[in-house]
Amino acid sequence: MEGIHRDVGSTTDAWLKKHSIVYIAATRHPFIHAIRDGSIDPNNFKRWLGQDYLFVRTFVPFASSVLLKAWKESDDSSDMDVLLGGIASLNDEISWFKREASKWGVQLSSIVPQQVNQNYCRFLESLMGLEVEYTVAITALWAIEVVYQQSFAHCLEEDASTPADLRETCQRWGNEEFGRYCSTLRMIADRRLMKATDSELKKAEVTFLCILEHEVEFWNMSRG
Ligand SMILES: Cc1ncc(CNC=O)c(N)n1
């Protein structure tokens, strides 16, 4: 069956259809709806901000581990440029979190990671292992990024009522350039998945699903 479907459309396309329920749960979460309709409780937003800052501090080494795998394993040297661009923008992102936190009166140095955040970070750490294939890691990176891109872009649509003080946050992940970055990651993932062994393909799909589940839990945690 898999052999038949692998050359029709892309692998990620098939997965997004097959796992659409959890994908929608991750990208159209009540937390995102609350930003989009302006009903968000500022305390929930601040909780998300503090926890996400800690998450991103683990996400940086994860993204770097994908870059390292690309350097070692990729058949296309331009993958490294794409990944380096992503890492470079994380530098800006960390600074943004610090500015945004002080704007909202959130003290980043005293944030304690919640259990859900710890679980997600531990999962990211497991993906940094040298035994995890580049194909699996790049698929995970795409999944992590696309959830935020799709979620926050939804809050910037014409009919959205996102409050002015949350627009900058939504812009950070909902902007067109980030959208293009996510499309590029997806193309790289699909290129690799097309050539992957059945075992790698299975691992990448399970990882994709785990990421979506962690993202849903992360939004749940932020909602309090
Ligand atoms: C929980 C979570 N998932 C994805 C992202 C987006 N990637 C980097 O910023 C994020 N910041 N936080």
Side-chain angles (χ1 to χ4, degrees), residues 15 19 62 120 123-124 126-127 132-133 135-141 143-144 199-214:
W15 290 352
H19 305 298
F62 167 69
Y120 197 177
F123 182 65
L124 277 194
S126 76
L127 294 175
V132 176
E133 299 90 343
T135 303
V136 174
I138 189 85
T139 301
L141 180 66
I144 295 166
S199 143
E200 268 185 328
L201 199 60
K202 199 68 230 166
K203 273 191 258 180
E205 184 174 2
V206 169
T207 303
F208 168 70
L209 265 180
C210 286
I211 295 284
L212 295 181
E213 282 160 9
H214 280 295

Side-chain angles (χ1 to χ4, degrees), residues 52 55-56 59 90 93 97 120 144-145 148 173 215 218:
D52 209 44
F55 174 83
V56 171
F59 182 70
L90 286 173
E93 190 169 309
F97 269 106
Y120 197 177
I144 295 166
E145 299 290 45
Y148 263 44
W173 292 281
E215 290 289 341
F218 203 91

